[in-house]
Amino acid sequence: MSALKEALAHSETLIGTEVGVSDWITVDQEMIDQFAKTTHDMQWIHIDPERAAAETPFGGTIAHGFLTLSLASRFAYDCFNMMPGQVMGINYGMNKLRFLTPVKAGSRLRGRFTLQKVTARNATDMLRENLLTIEIEGVETPAMVAEWLGLAVFKD
């Protein structure tokens, strides 16, 4: 049996189960400021702690939604190893992405992955769909939820 077929068969047994929980990572003001500079998104609710404390209901600055999303790759590194015969993983996109709760500066986040679907696309590629939930420590409603599509590429 090919490595792809073995990985597909194994992955199918995991559908509907939580397949990974990452370590916590702190989203501090320095990270938010660096992200703002990199993306040229200098909106004051992200980079001006005094104004954000005075003029928003958040009590201070909040992270960019796309900063929260960008941490998905970091969380995946904590949760997933290459499968036997896999040569690479490729980000294939997101479905139904929602930002539910603002991430206040100083918050700790982690990612939870639940496998929803796997599909062999051809002789070398398997598409994996995971529900990704990014949690904020101590907050009931997650920061973000999305269906994340990843392509696992295997040797031919």
Side-chain angles (χ1 to χ4, degrees), residues 4 12 41 138 140 152 154:
L4 171 61
E12 286 173 342
D41 182 350
E140 187 174 332
F154 292 82

Side-chain angles (χ1 to χ4, degrees), residues 22-113:
S22 75
D23 295 334
W24 292 102
I25 185 168
T26 301
V27 177
D28 59 16
Q29 190 62 50
E30 180 181 354
M31 181 187 291
I32 294 168
D33 291 344
Q34 288 175 356
F35 189 85
K37 288 176 188 172
T38 299
T39 60
H40 302 273
D41 182 350
M42 306 298 282
Q43 187 179 25
W44 62 268
I45 64 171
H46 305 302
I47 62 168
D48 188 336
E50 292 78 24
R51 184 174 177 191
E55 297 182 32
T56 73
F58 310 121
T61 56
I62 57 171
H64 305 72
F66 287 133
L67 169 55
T68 301
L69 172 60
S70 74
L71 293 172
S73 293
R74 159 58 166 70
F75 299 142
Y77 280 116
D78 287 348
C79 296
F80 299 107
N81 295 315
M82 298 281 267
M83 294 173 273
Q86 183 181 354
V87 294
M88 71 180 100
I90 299 172
N91 181 4
Y92 198 70
M94 297 278 181
N95 290 334
K96 300 179 184 176
L97 171 67
R98 297 292 183 266
F99 300 107
L100 302 175
T101 302
V103 176
K104 296 177 183 180
S107 296
R108 288 181 5 128
L109 303 180
R110 72 175 172 191
R112 288 186 173 276
F113 297 87

